[in-house]
Amino acid sequence: MNTYKTIIFDMDGTVLDTLDELTESLNYILRKYQLPEKTKMQVRSYLGYGYAGLIRQAVPEANQDFQLELQDAFKSYYGSHCQGHTKPYEGILEILASLRDAGYKTAIVSNKGQAAVTELHKEFFEGLVQFSLGESANYKKKPEPDMVWEALRRLGSSAQEAIYIGDSEVDKKTADNSGLDSALVTWGFRDKPLLQSLHPDYLVSSPKELKHLFIPAR
C-alpha cells in the first residue's frame, strides 16, 4: 500500500447520508411543476453528477430551458433545506478526527452546489476536515479533475501522495482523471457488484475498514 499524506473525500454517499433529503427536495420541485415524483431508489441511481445530472435523469423529456428552470428551482430549495434529515454515516466523524490527529491533510470535494456544501461543512465537518469544495462556476464538475486539483493546490499536496475516496463510477473516473489512487465505499449510492467492476485500488465495506487503510489497528 502507498504511503498517503492527503485524503480527499466525496460528500454524498461517502461521508454523508443525504438520500432522504435529496429525495424529498427533488419531489417537492416535481410536485410544484406537476411532474411525477421519484422513489428513493430511483433518486439514488441519479446521484453523482451534480444538480444538472439529477434533473436530467429525473426529467429526461424536458427541453434544455425547462431543465435549467427545474435545476435552479431545486438548487434554491435544497440550498435552504439540506440539513433536516442529512447525517454522517456511522463512524465517519470518528474516522475524520483520527485522520486529523494522525496528521493527514483532508478535504471534501462534491458536485453538490457550494452553498449547500458550505452549510453542511459548518454543521458536520468544521475542525475535522480542512475545507469542503462544492460546485461553482470556477471549476468543471467531477469527473473532470479541476476540483480535485484545486483541493490539492490548497492543501499543498501532490497527486502522487493523495488518494480519492468515493462511492460511484463518477468518483472512480474523477480519481483516474486526477492521477490519484482510488478507494470506493460500498455503503453509498451504488451497489457492490458495480463498484467491483470499476477496479478501484481499494474497495471498502465498512468505516472501520476505511480507518484501518490509513491507521493500522494496534
Side-chain angles (χ1 to χ4, degrees):
M1 178 178 155
N2 288 352
T3 301
Y4 301 106
K5 298 179 180 178
T6 300
I7 306 169
I8 299 178
F9 294 89
D10 170 54
M11 181 174 274
D12 296 49
T14 302
V15 293
L16 281 186
D17 183 355
T18 55
L19 184 56
D20 286 346
E21 207 80 68
L22 288 164
T23 302
E24 289 188 14
S25 293
L26 176 63
N27 282 333
Y28 174 86
I29 298 303
L30 295 176
R31 286 194 301 272
K32 181 178 178 181
Y33 284 87
Q34 299 181 317
L35 294 166
E37 295 185 35
K38 303 298 179 181
T39 67
K40 188 186 297 186
M41 291 306 295
Q42 285 176 307
V43 174
R44 180 178 182 261
S45 70
Y46 300 157
L47 299 174
Y49 297 89
Y51 297 156
L54 174 61
I55 296 300
R56 183 171 58 250
Q57 294 182 85
V59 195
E61 69 277 10
N63 62 37
Q64 185 175 11
D65 288 343
F66 189 29
Q67 287 200 1
L68 287 173
E69 181 179 346
L70 291 170
Q71 181 182 330
D72 287 343
F74 177 83
K75 183 176 181 179
S76 177
Y77 182 82
Y78 180 70
S80 58
H81 295 80
C82 62
Q83 296 164 290
H85 301 291
T86 291
K87 58 186 181 299
Y89 289 102
E90 185 176 356
I92 287 296
L93 297 184
E94 292 80 2
I95 291 171
L96 295 176
S98 296
L99 294 174
R100 176 201 61 198
D101 295 344
Y104 285 96
K105 299 176 182 178
T106 57
I108 293 170
V109 171
S110 173
N111 275 345
K112 187 192 298 291
Q114 184 64 62
V117 166
T118 297
E119 290 302 312
L120 293 168
H121 179 91
K122 289 178 180 177
E123 180 170 359
F124 298 114
F125 305 118
E126 195 80 62
L128 295 175
V129 174
Q130 288 171 261
F131 60 86
S132 295
L133 183 63
E135 180 187 5
S136 73
N138 297 323
Y139 315 104
K140 293 180 181 178
K141 293 184 298 185
K142 301 182 298 179
E144 295 299 322
D146 301 46
M147 297 172 72
V148 171
W149 286 347
E150 173 60 17
L152 292 175
R153 186 192 67 79
R154 294 187 191 184
L155 292 169
S157 301
S158 68
Q160 291 70 33
E161 63 187 14
I163 184 170
Y164 188 85
I165 300 175
D167 71 302
S168 74
E169 71 283 359
V170 179
D171 297 310
K172 178 60 166 61
K173 290 178 184 176
T174 299
D176 291 346
N177 292 340
S178 305
L180 273 64
D181 285 353
S182 60
L184 297 179
V185 304
T186 62
W187 56 78
F189 298 157
R190 298 293 188 269
D191 295 328
K192 187 173 182 178
L194 171 62
L195 299 178
Q196 289 174 320
S197 74
L198 300 173
H199 304 293
D201 295 289
Y202 308 96
L203 186 64
V204 182
S205 299
S206 70
K208 182 178 181 181
E209 185 181 341
L210 180 61
K211 179 181 177 180
H212 289 167
L213 270 181
F214 306 106
I215 304 175
R218 296 177 181 176

